[in-house]
Amino acid sequence: MMLGRGKSPLLAARILFDPQDELTAAEIRTLASAIGSVFVGSVVSCSNDADPDQRDALFDGTTELEIISAGLSFIVRGLVPLDAATMSIYEKVIGFDDKASLDVATLNTLVIEPGPLIRSSIALPPIVRALASLTAELSALQNTRAILWNSSGNLIEPGLFRKQVTQWNTDHIFPVAALSRLYKDQYGSLCTQGLSVYIGQELEIEQATLIRLSDRQSLMIIRLVEWLIANGPVMKTIHLTSEEFGGLEIRRSASGSHALVRLATTIY
C-alpha cells in the first residue's frame, strides 16, 4: 500500500491474540482498574452497564468499552478477526526473531481508538501519547502476540513496543521505530508515515539530497525527525546549518502535509 501525499490512516492501535484465546469485557475492566493505579483517573465503563450479561460477555465485535486514560476517552472493541481493511494497513514487521511464525491473518484483534469527541482530532500529542501508553498497558494481557499501530503500519513485538513507550514517558525520547515508518515515493524521495497524527506533518527528503548524503542518510533521518518532533510542523521555509550535513532547506509542501528537505545548494 502506498499512501498518497496528505493522507494518513486513522489513529488507532490493535492488540493481536491467538484466535483460541477468549477475552471477556470483565477482564478488560479488571485490567483497566489496575491501570488506574498508574494512570491517575483511569476508569472503565461498559457501553451497557445496566446489563451484566452484556458487560461480562465475550467480545463479539459489537461490544464496546470506554476507558478514560490521562483524562481522555478511548473505545476498546473486539475480539474480531483481522479484516481486509486492517490487513492493508500492515506494512512492516519490527522486533520479531522469527517473522515466519507470526501469521497475522489467523489472529484476532482488540481495537483501541480515541473516543467520538476526539476521534477526528489530529496533531494532538496528548492523544497519541495516551493511546500509546494505554495500548502498552493493555498489551500485558495474556498471550499478546503483536501490536499493530495504524498510523505507521508497523506490526511490533509487544515487549519492544512497551519498552519504547516507557522510554518515551520517562526519557522523552519519541518512539520513532514503533510509531513511524519510512518509505520511498514514486519520485524516489524518502518519506515518513505516522508523524502527522502527532505533529500534523510528515517528513520528506528529496532523492538528490539522499544521493549526495548517501553515507550519512541514517544519521540525517534521525536528526531531522528529532528536529521536526521538537519544533512542530514547518509553516515557512527554514534554513539550517549542520557540521554533519552542511546547509539544509526545509519548506512546507503545497498541501502543508509534508516538510520537504533538500540541501541548500541543490540546483533545480
Side-chain angles (χ1 to χ4, degrees), residues 107-157:
L107 301 179
N108 282 348
T109 176
L110 189 70
V111 183
I112 310 168
E113 60 187 14
L117 293 180
I118 58 175
R119 190 168 297 164
S120 62
S121 299
I122 60 171
L124 289 179
I127 297 176
V128 179
R129 184 184 290 271
L131 176 62
S133 296
L134 180 59
T135 302
E137 292 289 342
L138 290 179
S139 71
L141 289 165
Q142 187 176 8
N143 298 326
T144 298
R145 296 292 305 278
I147 294 171
L148 176 61
W149 187 259
N150 279 36
S151 305
S152 64
N154 290 341
L155 191 73
I156 312 153
E157 193 276 324

Side-chain angles (χ1 to χ4, degrees), residues 195-215:
L195 298 184
S196 61
V197 295
Y198 188 71
I199 59 171
Q201 206 169 58
E202 299 289 351
L203 185 70
E204 179 178 331
I205 306 172
E206 65 159 22
Q207 184 182 43
T209 297
L210 292 171
I211 293 173
R212 294 186 62 177
L213 296 176
S214 59
D215 59 334

Side-chain angles (χ1 to χ4, degrees), residues 15-20 80-83 101-109 143 145-146 155:
I15 301 177
L16 278 60
F17 299 86
D18 288 320
Q20 65 268 23
V80 292
L82 283 170
D83 55 19
S101 66
L102 190 70
D103 185 359
V104 296
T106 66
L107 301 179
N108 282 348
T109 176
N143 298 326
R145 296 292 305 278
L155 191 73

